[in-house]
Amino acid sequence: MTLPTDPAANLAALIRCPSVTPIEGGALSTLEKMLKPLGFSVERPVFSDDGTPDIENFYARRSGNGPHLMFAGHTDVVPVGDEASWTHPPFAAEIAKGEMFGRGAVDMKGGIACFIAAVARHLGSKGGLKGSVSLLITGDEEGPAINGTTKLLEWAAAKGEKWDASIVGEPTNPDALGDMIKIGRRGSLSGSITVNGRQGHAAYPQLADNPVRGLMTLVEALLHPVFDNGTKDFQPTNLEVTSIDVGNPATNVIPAKAMATFNIRFNDTWTAETIQAEIHNRLDKAAKRKKYRAGKTTPVDYELVWRDRPSHVFLTRDDRLIEALSGSVKAVIGRKPALSTSGGTSDARFIKDYCPVVEFGLVGKTMHMVDERVALAELETLTQIYQRFIEDWFEQGAS
Ligand SMILES: [Zn+2]
């Protein structure tokens, strides 16, 4: 029996499973085939919820005496887009000029392929592990993420699973392997503001109440002043107005309603609750301003609705975990990675409620793009980094 020590072979097998969310596509069965010969026990719970597709998830554990390391990731991939634009078919894992093409190559079947190869090599050379390793893999990261990591964590914890640390294999490196380890993430919140005015003739504004004036006043208060100047670990909190909608086709009519939506990425100066309170406060104050609404006696009539669940900000402070990983990067490629909290949210925001978590994977440049691909040399290097990390992290845990 051949063990899954070759990350390129592992990745090719995974890419050939067309697992576009919510379809399993054979990807989890492929993982199961790789992990069982390495002594992992495998479970594949299916989660459902109203209005979202059922999702198959995956939890594999190899038990041993000592600390418990969890590798987390997802086998689902985003759609291929215009298939005709791909230089090589998106589910064929073809190799050209030292690169493997395929949807999920970097986001993030590649990370999983390398981690499994690293475990297989470690077991091959050491014969065992000084603790437990598990793989917590969802098929619902790129989709609604309702039947994915959150439920999988709850399900595993309810069975008594406990972890000492987690590494998420998402593509964290902007340009080259070893650039960046993510040790936290900003929080994220979205909201919509609707301003109710009074419709009327553009020539008789005194008889109407133009909601665009009110909306301008409110939006201005969200954009200025800045929320903060950043912290030691985080960039400044930033709010983007993502849409302004009036939907008024007539040039001589003052509309009755105007809407804006925004998204805010906030740092550890705030919690989701305090940033919400700050935004409410700014809007309430601004509603009374007369700058664009001279002569109006009532404040801007508005409603604010928060969209979706907030993503909470977090920062991992487990020095042993961070040191083991950044030390492994240094040992393999000769330079220390930056410790960053930049970028979008990831499933690490759910894992952080269970154990310290860091993220490190491939280079993200081609993720979600046509011709997503990864250099074979990079797969080999990431495998070596993961292997070194497994060795060092357990070594320290055992001492
Ligand atoms: Zn991903």
Side-chain angles (χ1 to χ4, degrees), residues 239-312:
L239 183 144
E240 287 300 318
V241 175
T242 48
S243 181
I244 290 190
D245 306 286
V246 179
N248 176 19
T251 54
N252 59 351
V253 173
I254 289 171
K257 249 185 212 321
M259 271 182 67
T261 57
F262 63 87
N263 174 261
I264 184 161
R265 302 287 162 138
F266 57 96
N267 64 33
D268 57 349
T269 308
W270 310 90
T271 63
E273 292 72 29
T274 61
I275 197 81
Q276 283 179 328
E278 167 72 11
I279 287 169
H280 273 291
N281 191 24
R282 284 186 180 212
L283 294 178
D284 283 341
K285 265 200 202 144
K288 297 181 194 118
R289 282 185 202 140
K290 296 284 178 272
K291 185 173 169 193
Y292 302 130
R293 299 179 73 244
K296 294 287 176 257
T297 51
T298 53
V300 177
D301 174 12
Y302 79 95
E303 283 162 73
L304 168 60
V305 176
W306 297 106
R307 317 249 295 227
D308 312 323
R309 300 165 291 177
S311 293
H312 296 279

Side-chain angles (χ1 to χ4, degrees), residues 32 41-45 57-61 152 155 159 161:
E32 185 165 353
S41 61
V42 172
E43 287 173 275
R44 292 167 61 172
N57 294 273
F58 184 96
Y59 186 70
R61 174 170 176 166
L152 190 53
W155 169 88
K159 298 195 311 144
E161 290 295 290

Side-chain angles (χ1 to χ4, degrees), residues 23 79 81 105 115 120 174 177 210 212 229 238 268 279 293 314 319 350 367 376 396:
I23 296 159
F115 188 81
L177 197 61
N210 191 341
V212 177
N229 294 308
N238 182 61
D268 57 349
I279 287 169
R293 299 179 73 244
F314 75 95
D319 290 340
F350 305 124
M367 60 184 173
L376 300 183
Q396 290 172 25

Side-chain angles (χ1 to χ4, degrees), residues 74 107-108 141-142 170:
H74 61 92
D107 184 12
M108 60 155 280
E141 200 273 339
E142 305 285 12
E170 290 280 9

Side-chain angles (χ1 to χ4, degrees), residues 156-174:
K159 298 195 311 144
E161 290 295 290
K162 284 194 179 73
W163 306 277
D164 296 291
S166 171
I167 176 166
V168 177
E170 290 280 9
T172 51
N173 295 286

